[in-house]
Amino acid sequence: MFSLATIFENIKTLLENYWQVFIFEGVKYTLILSAIAVFFGSIFGIVIALGRMSNWRPFHSLNKKKAKKGFIYKLSEFNPISFLCSAYTEILRDTPLLLQLYFFVIILPTIIKFVDFSMFTWTSIALALNSAAYVSELVRSGIQAVDKGQTEAARSLGMNKTQTMVKVVLPQAVKNILPAIGSEFVSIIKETSMASTFFIGDLMTSYLKVKGATYLALEALIIVAVIYFILTFVLSKIILAYERRLNSK
């Protein structure tokens, strides 16, 4: 049986002997991986969101009779960019992250042999692409939350669609999007734990290393859980304070 005194003593011993493994290695790689995933995921997510909202219909001219039924009508209304972006979002959101990590870290490198990426890089790519699917929905909802009257007013002043989006809609949508992207960063920090499957140095990898060296699984897990809690709790409070500041303006 475990006694609390023994557990606390073991935790103290682990922190004294392995704090560098937990902090300098585990926290460092977890935050780096999360930052890379959210940064590139946000950039790609914006592209995906704008692609989903595009109105490009290359076959629109086929429907000369302005019919409302039939194959020609469906083809004329088909938007390939929006379709591909929607498919990407649905596939990435509706499949497990661990499955995506296996695909990018194990399967894809065997297919694309001319690319010599490290396991950390492949993991970062997988997390960034997964994050992009969620960020795209955040961006799309943030843009759609902007009053349509703003768009109509901008168009009436002579702005084209691109100018309206860049100069009018996006600056207002940022107020709704940034706090949500901050929350995505918090989620990614927790999701990086799945990357420990490939031993890339994150917090859960640190746990596995310490557990293997000391056989103190419970104590090591408690330390990692506390570190995860501190990271996500502090970031959540910072995001909440930032969101309140935005709402007060």
Side-chain angles (χ1 to χ4, degrees):
M1 293 181 64
F2 292 102
S3 67
L4 288 177
T6 302
I7 292 174
F8 283 122
E9 186 64 30
N10 289 338
I11 290 174
K12 180 181 177 182
T13 302
L14 289 181
L15 288 174
E16 290 175 350
N17 298 326
Y18 294 95
W19 65 272
Q20 289 183 322
V21 176
F22 286 119
I23 304 300
F24 282 165
E25 186 175 334
V27 172
K28 180 182 75 173
Y29 279 105
T30 294
L31 290 178
I32 290 174
L33 193 61
S34 301
I36 291 173
V38 172
F39 178 76
F40 289 102
S42 297
I43 294 173
F44 192 42
I46 292 171
V47 175
I48 294 296
L50 295 177
R52 290 193 67 179
M53 298 175 68
S54 70
N55 196 32
W56 184 58
R57 292 173 293 176
F59 308 109
H60 188 64
S61 60
L62 294 177
N63 191 12
K64 296 179 180 179
K65 296 182 179 180
K66 306 298 180 183
K68 297 295 183 180
K69 296 180 180 179
F71 174 76
I72 296 298
Y73 170 72
K74 292 180 180 179
L75 183 62
S76 68
E77 294 297 310
F78 179 66
N79 185 335
I81 295 179
S82 180
F83 173 79
L84 290 174
C85 291
S86 298
Y88 170 87
T89 302
E90 294 302 324
I91 291 172
L92 269 292
R93 293 181 67 194
D94 295 336
T95 54
L97 176 58
L98 186 58
L99 185 150
Q100 296 168 27
L101 286 169
Y102 271 109
F103 176 78
F104 279 95
V105 177
I106 296 177
I107 298 175
L108 201 57
T110 63
I111 299 173
I112 312 176
K113 294 183 179 180
F114 58 87
V115 176
D116 188 20
F117 288 158
S118 65
M119 194 172 292
F120 182 86
T121 303
W122 281 117
T123 304
S124 300
I125 292 172
L127 287 172
L129 293 177
N130 178 271
S131 179
Y134 290 91
V135 170
S136 68
E137 287 298 291
L138 299 176
V139 173
R140 191 167 68 95
S141 61
I143 291 174
Q144 291 177 340
V146 176
D147 192 283
K148 291 183 179 179
Q150 300 287 328
T151 302
E152 294 171 357
R155 296 303 300 275
S156 66
L157 292 173
M159 292 186 183
N160 57 34
K161 290 182 178 180
T162 303
Q163 291 173 326
T164 301
M165 181 61 68
V166 174
K167 296 182 178 181
V168 178
V169 178
L170 283 180
Q172 296 183 67
V174 166
K175 185 177 180 180
N176 299 321
I177 295 170
L178 283 182
I181 290 179
S183 299
E184 174 65 12
F185 183 60
V186 173
S187 297
I188 285 291
I189 287 177
K190 292 180 286 186
E191 290 174 354
T192 55
S193 60
M194 296 187 187
S196 63
T197 307
F198 311 104
F199 288 85
I200 62 167
D202 63 300
L203 270 170
M204 285 303 293
T205 300
S206 298
Y207 157 72
L208 294 172
K209 287 181 179 179
V210 173
K211 184 190 73 171
T214 63
Y215 298 100
L216 298 175
L218 176 62
E219 291 85 347
L221 197 61
I222 290 173
I223 293 172
V224 170
V226 171
I227 294 173
Y228 269 121
F229 174 78
I230 292 172
L231 288 176
T232 55
F233 181 79
V234 171
L235 283 171
S236 296
K237 292 302 179 182
I238 293 173
I239 293 165
L240 182 61
Y242 179 71
E243 189 174 1
R244 287 174 177 171
R245 184 177 178 183
L246 282 177
N247 292 331
S248 64
K249 292 182 178 180

